[in-house]
Amino acid sequence: MGKRPPSVDRLARSLAAHGLPHPLAVSVARQAIADDDADRLEDYARRRRRQMITEVVNATGVMLHTNLGRAPLPVSLPSRYTNLELDLETGSRGSRQRAVGDVMAEACGAEAAMVVNNCAGAVLLTLAALAPNRGVAVGRGEMVEIGGGFRIPDVMNQSGARLVEVGTTNRSRLSDYSDVADDLAMILKVHRSNYRIVGFTEDVTVAELATVGPPVVADIGSGLLDSTCPWLSGPPPSWLAEEPAARQTLKDGADLVLFSGDKLYGGPQAGIIAGRADLVATCGRHPLARALRPGSLVMHALHETTLAYLDRRGGDIPFWAMASRTPVELQARADAIDATLGTALSASCQSVPGGGTLPTVTIPSHGLRITSDVSDALRNLDRPIIARVEDRHTIIDLRTVDPTDDDYLSQALAAVLPAEPDPHR
Ligand SMILES: *Cc1c(COP(=O)(O)O)cnc(C)c1O
């Protein structure tokens, strides 16, 4: 007779220290037994635990890191009810779009605004609602693909609108648009968020497009709210110079702007449609609006983020707090960590905005440079630290690390740094 198989339940209970809910511990134990590998049960549990969502320290210097949830959320929400769809004035049912839409419209300088799940959803809804079976002009140099398979021609197909390509890859002129104006329900201007076309180029501005006739919808993608950045105490960062902003794009004559909530806006994942009230209302009445609407968590978080903009509290929005840190203050933090550890790791480095925005921009920063690759050890910590590796050196960019995590970072480094060779042995 063979050995009796170990009891699944007993094995699962032996994993208590791993913090897995019991049913997950049971499935881990079953798997280990099925693989005839019960001796390595602890490894199975550790691996399972690491598949769960957990807080990490972003030391990559990529401010909007898609793998790390893009923008860190500016709010922590109480577990309470909200008046999401209740009109407190009348006591009757209201619109969940109303409160966020109103403050968002104010922030953008728009007549009206509404919110969907992401900017991809905003593009899809706008096309479906405003141009069903009708022509939409897009410049051939703006046939964007962003990560995750979102391609403008494919979205156009899905929406039921008909793509009217104008111009060439590198050049389009106003006449390219006006020549086909009679065939158009809309002109879609798509920002080249994640690529650049340089050399022999020509482009048509939103102000020029606004003279053609059909409504101009600008997908600005990244969601810079206002190019003057009035929520910052200093001037706008120079690396934002070329980035289109919602407020100025509307002022230039766009009928609608579309943008993400979790790129340069620094809020939760969302897509914002802002501009002419009649067009926003048409989008809101389309059946897809219900399928694309966010839940109360997102509405609440976007509302709070937008209030921070209106109050000019840029420092309360983590993305803008990061973006505003100077190399000098980051160096002081790096030097303090060196002093704690007795090391000399402080070094300058370069941050990037990330998240598929501003592909050519780097921002002078400061952090720690370790002359070996300790990125696996840092990532394997219970509270993982995600670092960057360049030429087998580990770079810890302090711009994306919250200052309250510096002590944790010091302790973690003390544990993973390779021991210095002892000169006396
Ligand atoms: C990022 C981006 C999108 C998609 O935004 P999501 O919020 O990620 O869906 C659409 N258009 C442009 C131009 C973008 O930059």
Side-chain angles (χ1 to χ4, degrees):
M1 220 173 75
K3 211 169 60 171
R4 267 200 22 213
S7 142
V8 169
D9 193 62
R10 191 174 52 76
L11 288 182
R13 284 187 198 290
S14 75
L15 297 174
H18 289 272
L20 289 170
H22 188 63
L24 293 185
V26 167
S27 98
V28 162
R30 285 220 171 92
Q31 189 60 51
I33 292 169
D35 295 350
D36 205 11
D37 217 0
D39 290 348
R40 288 180 45 242
L41 185 63
E42 297 278 328
D43 289 341
Y44 277 70
R46 218 169 286 124
R47 225 178 301 140
R48 183 67 189 85
R49 184 72 189 83
R50 295 184 73 74
Q51 290 165 10
M52 295 165 70
I53 291 183
T54 190
E55 205 183 289
V56 306
V57 175
N58 175 10
T60 64
V62 181
M63 290 191 282
L64 303 167
H65 200 305
T66 306
N67 297 359
L68 307 180
R70 273 199 196 154
L73 262 191
V75 283
S76 62
L77 301 172
S79 43
R80 296 278 193 278
Y81 291 107
T82 65
N83 57 333
L84 181 67
E85 291 196 0
L86 176 70
D87 184 335
L88 291 174
E89 233 12 77
T90 63
S92 54
R93 181 168 181 181
S95 151
R96 75 171 55 198
Q97 296 287 352
R98 177 81 186 277
V100 191
D102 284 356
V103 290
M104 184 62 81
E106 185 66 44
C108 297
E111 284 174 15
M114 67 175 286
V115 182
V116 292
N117 281 326
N118 49 33
C119 188
V123 175
L124 179 66
L125 176 60
T126 307
L127 291 168
L130 303 182
N133 303 311
R134 301 188 54 204
V136 174
V138 184
R140 285 196 172 88
E142 299 175 8
M143 300 292 173
V144 176
E145 169 171 332
I146 55 167
F150 176 91
R151 300 173 131 190
I152 287 292
D154 297 343
V155 175
M156 195 77 78
N157 268 334
Q158 287 296 322
S159 74
R162 181 167 45 81
L163 176 62
V164 179
E165 297 186 32
V166 298
T168 62
T169 302
N170 54 327
R171 307 195 83 179
S172 45
R173 290 187 262 285
L174 189 56
S175 58
D176 295 328
Y177 289 89
S178 45
D179 286 350
V180 294
D182 292 345
D183 191 27
L184 300 178
M186 183 202 293
I187 295 172
L188 181 63
K189 172 99 180 146
V190 187
H191 177 47
R192 298 181 188 118
S193 302
N194 54 6
Y195 66 107
R196 292 289 178 260
I197 297 180
V198 296
F200 186 56
T201 63
E202 183 176 348
D203 212 350
V204 191
T205 64
V206 165
E208 292 170 314
L209 291 176
T211 65
V212 175
V216 176
V217 175
D219 172 11
I220 61 170
S222 334
L224 174 61
L225 185 59
D226 183 331
S227 56
T228 67
C229 299
W231 55 88
L232 298 181
S233 49
S238 58
W239 44 270
L240 280 173
E242 309 268 295
E243 196 62 9
R247 182 173 271 275
Q248 282 73 24
T249 303
L250 288 169
K251 210 176 269 170
D252 283 347
D255 296 278
L256 289 179
V257 289
L258 316 178
F259 58 93
S260 285
D262 57 346
K263 292 183 182 170
L264 300 181
Y265 201 76
Q269 183 193 301
I272 292 91
I273 302 174
R276 256 170 59 189
D278 60 326
L279 300 182
V280 172
T282 305
C283 291
R285 280 193 303 269
H286 191 277
L288 268 180
R290 176 64 160 79
L292 297 174
R293 74 177 193 183
S296 65
L297 265 176
V298 166
M299 291 307 227
H300 195 161
L302 195 61
H303 185 257
E304 296 304 297
T305 311
T306 308
L307 294 186
Y309 277 109
L310 290 174
D311 287 339
R312 305 191 165 191
R313 287 183 281 114
D316 286 355
I317 303 170
F319 171 77
W320 288 105
M322 279 187 249
S324 309
R325 286 177 191 138
T326 64
V328 171
E329 73 186 83
L330 296 172
Q331 177 167 7
R333 287 169 53 192
D335 293 349
I337 292 173
D338 264 341
T340 308
L341 295 175
T343 50
L345 305 173
S346 179
S348 62
C349 58
Q350 300 283 326
S351 313
V352 294
T357 70
L358 298 152
T360 55
V361 164
T362 56
I363 304 164
S365 186
H366 206 97
L368 306 161
R369 172 184 284 266
I370 299 155
T371 56
S372 60
D373 182 352
V374 294
S375 61
D376 285 347
L378 291 171
R379 198 183 59 254
N380 285 330
L381 294 167
D382 280 344
R383 185 160 167 244
I385 296 171
I386 313 299
R388 201 165 75 214
V389 179
E390 276 172 18
D391 299 334
R392 274 180 274 128
H393 289 201
T394 309
I395 313 289
I396 303 221
D397 185 336
L398 289 176
R399 179 180 297 285
T400 50
V401 177
D402 193 284
T404 59
D405 285 332
D406 284 3
D407 285 345
Y408 173 68
L409 190 59
S410 293
Q411 289 160 23
L413 287 174
V416 307
L417 281 180
E420 291 287 324
D422 185 342
H424 303 295
R425 284 184 56 174

Coordinates of all heavy atoms in Angstrom, one line a residue, residues 8 14 21 61 79 91 125 128 132-134 159 163-164 210 268 273 278 282 304-306 321 327 367 375 386 413 415:
V8 N -5.6 17.7 2.6 CA -5.6 19.1 1.9 C -5.9 20.1 3.0 O -5.2 21.2 3.0 CB -6.7 19.1 0.8 CG1 -6.9 20.5 0.4 CG2 -6.3 18.2 -0.3
S14 N -1.7 25.0 7.3 CA -0.3 25.2 7.6 C 0.2 26.5 6.9 O 1.3 27.0 7.2 CB 0.6 24.0 7.2 OG 0.7 24.0 5.8
P21 N -6.7 33.9 1.9 CA -8.0 33.4 2.4 C -8.1 31.9 2.3 O -7.5 31.3 1.3 CB -9.0 34.1 1.4 CG -8.2 35.2 0.8 CD -6.8 34.8 0.8
G61 N 10.8 55.9 -11.7 CA 10.9 57.2 -12.3 C 9.9 57.4 -13.4 O 9.8 58.5 -14.1
S79 N -15.9 54.4 3.4 CA -16.9 53.4 3.1 C -18.2 53.9 3.5 O -18.8 53.5 4.5 CB -16.5 52.1 3.8 OG -16.2 52.3 5.1
G91 N -35.0 65.7 -3.4 CA -35.2 64.4 -2.9 C -35.5 63.4 -3.9 O -35.9 62.2 -3.6
L125 N -18.0 56.3 -27.8 CA -19.3 56.8 -27.6 C -19.6 58.0 -28.5 O -20.7 58.2 -29.0 CB -19.5 57.1 -26.1 CG -20.8 57.8 -25.7 CD1 -22.0 56.9 -26.1 CD2 -20.9 58.2 -24.2
A128 N -20.2 56.9 -32.0 CA -21.5 56.2 -32.2 C -22.7 57.2 -32.1 O -23.7 57.1 -32.8 CB -21.6 55.1 -31.1
P132 N -23.4 58.3 -36.5 CA -23.8 56.9 -37.0 C -24.0 56.9 -38.5 O -24.7 57.7 -39.0 CB -25.1 56.7 -36.2 CG -25.7 58.0 -35.9 CD -24.5 58.9 -35.7
N133 N -23.3 55.9 -39.1 CA -23.4 55.7 -40.6 C -23.0 57.0 -41.4 O -23.3 57.1 -42.5 CB -24.8 55.3 -41.0 CG -25.3 54.1 -40.3 OD1 -24.5 53.1 -40.3 ND2 -26.5 54.1 -39.8
R134 N -22.2 57.8 -40.7 CA -21.8 59.0 -41.4 C -20.3 59.2 -41.4 O -19.6 58.5 -40.7 CB -22.5 60.2 -40.8 CG -24.1 60.1 -40.9 CD -24.8 61.3 -40.4 NE -24.4 62.5 -41.2 CZ -24.5 63.7 -40.7 NH1 -25.1 63.9 -39.5 NH2 -24.1 64.8 -41.4
S159 N -17.8 51.7 -34.1 CA -18.8 52.7 -33.7 C -19.9 52.8 -34.7 O -21.0 53.4 -34.4 CB -18.1 54.0 -33.6 OG -17.8 54.5 -34.9
L163 N -15.0 56.1 -41.7 CA -13.7 56.8 -41.7 C -13.5 57.5 -43.1 O -13.6 56.8 -44.1 CB -12.6 55.8 -41.4 CG -11.2 56.3 -41.5 CD1 -10.9 57.4 -40.4 CD2 -10.2 55.2 -41.2
V164 N -13.2 58.8 -43.0 CA -12.8 59.5 -44.2 C -11.4 60.0 -44.0 O -11.2 60.9 -43.2 CB -13.8 60.7 -44.5 CG1 -13.3 61.5 -45.7 CG2 -15.2 60.3 -44.6
A210 N -11.9 74.4 -37.1 CA -13.2 74.9 -36.7 C -13.9 75.8 -37.7 O -15.1 76.0 -37.7 CB -13.0 75.7 -35.4
P268 N -8.5 58.9 -11.3 CA -8.8 57.5 -11.6 C -9.0 57.2 -13.1 O -9.2 58.2 -13.8 CB -10.1 57.4 -10.8 CG -10.8 58.7 -11.0 CD -9.7 59.7 -10.9
I273 N -15.7 63.6 -21.6 CA -16.2 64.2 -22.8 C -16.7 65.6 -22.4 O -17.6 65.7 -21.6 CB -17.4 63.4 -23.4 CG1 -17.0 62.0 -23.7 CG2 -18.0 64.1 -24.6 CD1 -18.2 61.1 -24.1
D278 N -25.2 70.6 -26.1 CA -26.1 69.8 -27.0 C -25.4 68.5 -27.4 O -26.0 67.4 -27.4 CB -26.6 70.6 -28.2 CG -25.5 71.1 -29.1 OD1 -24.4 71.4 -28.5 OD2 -25.7 71.1 -30.3
T282 N -26.4 64.6 -26.4 CA -26.6 63.5 -27.4 C -25.8 62.3 -27.0 O -26.3 61.2 -27.1 CB -26.2 64.0 -28.8 OG1 -26.9 65.2 -29.1 CG2 -26.5 63.0 -29.9
E304 N -13.3 64.5 -6.6 CA -12.3 65.0 -5.6 C -11.1 65.6 -6.3 O -10.6 66.6 -5.9 CB -11.9 63.9 -4.6 CG -13.1 63.4 -3.7 CD -13.7 64.6 -2.9 OE1 -13.1 65.2 -2.1 OE2 -14.9 64.8 -3.2
T305 N -10.6 64.8 -7.3 CA -9.5 65.3 -8.1 C -9.8 66.7 -8.7 O -8.9 67.6 -8.7 CB -9.1 64.3 -9.2 OG1 -9.0 63.0 -8.6 CG2 -7.8 64.6 -9.8
T306 N -11.0 66.8 -9.3 CA -11.3 68.0 -10.0 C -11.5 69.2 -9.0 O -11.1 70.3 -9.3 CB -12.6 67.8 -10.8 OG1 -12.5 66.6 -11.6 CG2 -12.9 69.0 -11.7
A321 N 2.4 66.5 -7.6 CA 3.4 66.6 -6.6 C 4.7 66.0 -7.1 O 5.8 66.6 -6.9 CB 2.9 65.8 -5.3
P327 N 15.2 68.4 -8.7 CA 16.4 67.5 -8.5 C 17.1 67.9 -7.2 O 17.6 67.0 -6.6 CB 17.3 67.9 -9.7 CG 16.3 68.3 -10.8 CD 15.2 69.0 -10.1
G367 N 18.4 60.2 -7.6 CA 18.0 59.0 -6.8 C 19.2 58.3 -6.4 O 20.2 58.9 -6.0
S375 N 17.3 44.3 -8.6 CA 15.9 44.6 -8.9 C 15.0 43.4 -8.5 O 13.9 43.6 -8.0 CB 15.6 44.9 -10.3 OG 16.0 43.9 -11.2
I386 N 9.7 48.5 -7.0 CA 10.0 48.3 -8.4 C 11.0 49.3 -8.9 O 10.8 50.5 -8.8 CB 8.7 48.5 -9.2 CG1 7.5 47.7 -8.6 CG2 8.9 48.0 -10.7 CD1 7.7 46.2 -8.5
L413 N 16.9 48.5 1.3 CA 18.2 48.5 0.7 C 19.3 47.9 1.6 O 20.1 47.1 1.2 CB 18.7 49.9 0.3 CG 17.9 50.5 -0.9 CD1 18.3 51.9 -1.1 CD2 18.2 49.7 -2.1
A415 N 18.9 45.6 3.6 CA 18.7 44.1 3.5 C 19.2 43.5 2.2 O 19.6 42.4 2.2 CB 17.2 43.7 3.7

